[in-house]
Amino acid sequence: MTDLPIGANAPLDGPSVSVLVDLPGGAEIAVTALQIYPGGKVRGDGDMCFYGQPRISGGAVTLTQGASPRFDIDLARVPGDVEKIVLTATVEGGKTFGQLGDVSIDAGPHSLTIPVHGRSEVALILAEIYKRNGAWKIRNVGQGFNGGLAQLATHFGVEIADDDGSAAPPPSAPPSPSAPPTPAPPPSVKLSKVNLTKTEKTVSLKKADGKFGKIRVNLNWNQRVQKKSLFGMSRSAGLDLDLGAFVELSDGNRDVVQALGNSFGSFWAEPYVSLLGDDRTGAITDGEWLEINGDAWATIRRVLIYAFIYEGAPNWRETDGVVRVYVPDQPEIEVAMNEYGSNKGMCAVAELSNEGGQIKVERKVDFFGGHKDMDRAYGWGFSWKAGRK
């Protein structure tokens, strides 16, 4: 069985999959499967599979309740315009997942664990089953929401009824026949994920207190082995992609965080950005992670996120590389690097800049021959020399 950590994905084989959710004890936990369409939201109540509606889309998704609830998903019967099926869990009774224990999932040959130690959320996006290039995959998400079911629901455009069962209170009096109708306010929809593209390059994130918690940045890529030939003899070569960041603080101090040169940074002290190890396994893993101390965001001016191919032939389309940015209680932000076949080894992926206390995330996806070229293009002013890791 393949273990998929947070952020990792793997293909699903066959026309159907059974997903068994192993929940911790100590509280009542409700699970739901949501059919998500382009735009990142559901279209109506018929897209929610839960205890009150255990069968949707003519049986494409069904829920069997129990100590470990099970979703049976017939992928061939899922409506063609559904982009993904999101699996969620919500704690009831005033407790948090951090007080209960980890959630684990078995999905055919894949197992997923969502660690929750020390976390305060009462609602989680556990996993998503999504369609990419006509094939279905599963991803371990593990994104949490402190606002519970209501916040999780609005994330996907679901209306939550009041205690009396109504979605909104009725008007106190009927409108005058002569008065023009008052247009209804547009619904407030928070997307579950924002894909930054060439045409939609930026998104801004805001917190009232300017503290964003632990910001997590993940780099993942297709780690299939490439076959090469050397003097007539076969050998295998895997790609090694590295994640890094240029960091500038509000006082002008600048730093580089990357495995090359063993400059792993620090989360609790300057530059408030740290790299969590260096993955060179070549197997299915959750890639590489950076963490940014979002509670110190007021001291950070900008962070340039980049990736470079340390080993393997530079071909970004073949890497299927993706960078994802996870900010607590905010939509996941995704930037793909596979739309180009550039043979340059370095890619400036995205920049996080401090604009009035907000986080502005801007897609870059610019390719360079190395650190020095990228530095010069963006005006960072570092001094460079050759190094190894």
Side-chain angles (χ1 to χ4, degrees), residues 87 177 248:
L87 308 180
E248 182 180 8

Side-chain angles (χ1 to χ4, degrees), residues 84-320:
K84 60 185 175 181
I85 298 168
V86 174
L87 308 180
T88 72
T90 307
V91 180
E92 300 179 3
K95 292 191 175 182
T96 68
F97 276 101
Q99 296 171 316
L100 301 177
D102 294 348
V103 179
S104 60
I105 292 174
D106 288 335
H110 308 299
S111 64
L112 295 70
T113 299
I114 296 89
V116 296
H117 178 71
R119 296 176 63 167
S120 61
E121 296 101 332
V122 296
L124 291 174
I125 299 176
L126 303 175
E128 59 183 23
I129 296 171
Y130 64 101
K131 192 162 31 177
R132 179 69 57 84
N133 297 326
W136 288 94
K137 295 185 174 183
I138 186 168
R139 175 183 292 126
N140 188 342
V141 179
Q143 183 180 354
F145 296 82
N146 289 320
L149 177 61
Q151 188 179 24
L152 177 63
T154 56
H155 212 65
F156 295 106
V158 180
E159 292 185 359
I160 298 296
D162 293 335
D163 292 339
D164 62 0
S166 60
S172 56
S176 168
S178 59
T182 302
S188 177
V189 176
K190 296 181 180 180
L191 300 181
S192 63
K193 181 165 67 176
V194 175
N195 290 291
L196 297 184
T197 66
K198 289 185 289 185
T199 56
E200 299 292 337
K201 288 189 172 184
T202 65
V203 64
S204 293
L205 309 176
K206 184 177 181 180
K207 283 287 188 71
D209 59 2
K211 295 184 177 181
F212 291 87
K214 181 183 291 186
I215 302 168
R216 302 163 66 238
V217 181
N218 175 250
L219 166 67
N220 215 322
W221 65 95
N222 188 334
Q223 296 169 340
R224 62 177 176 264
V225 173
Q226 296 178 329
K227 296 293 185 180
K228 293 188 177 182
S229 178
L230 181 64
F231 300 115
M233 300 181 65
S234 296
R235 67 185 180 95
S236 296
L239 283 172
D240 177 23
L241 265 66
D242 277 6
L243 179 65
F246 291 173
V247 185
E248 182 180 8
L249 302 181
S250 56
D251 60 6
N253 285 336
R254 299 179 181 184
D255 209 339
V256 179
V257 177
Q258 62 179 21
L260 188 64
N262 293 317
S263 179
F264 287 87
S266 173
F267 182 83
W268 297 108
E270 293 186 5
Y272 303 109
V273 179
S274 64
L275 176 66
L276 305 184
D278 175 31
D279 172 43
R280 302 182 67 183
T281 65
I284 296 178
T285 71
D286 62 344
E288 297 195 357
W289 291 87
L290 276 168
E291 291 185 345
I292 302 171
N293 189 340
D295 288 343
W297 185 246
T299 68
I300 299 174
R301 181 173 294 164
R302 57 174 174 159
V303 180
L304 179 66
I305 305 296
Y306 60 86
F308 62 98
I309 300 176
Y310 183 74
E311 289 181 351
N315 186 330
W316 290 94
R317 184 176 288 115
E318 287 296 317
T319 69
D320 200 22

Side-chain angles (χ1 to χ4, degrees), residues 30-34 45 47-56 63 65 71:
V31 295
T32 305
L34 302 171
D45 293 342
D47 293 315
M48 301 175 60
C49 183
F50 64 111
Y51 68 92
Q53 185 171 251
R55 186 174 184 269
I56 62 173
L63 169 63
Q65 289 282 24
F71 290 101

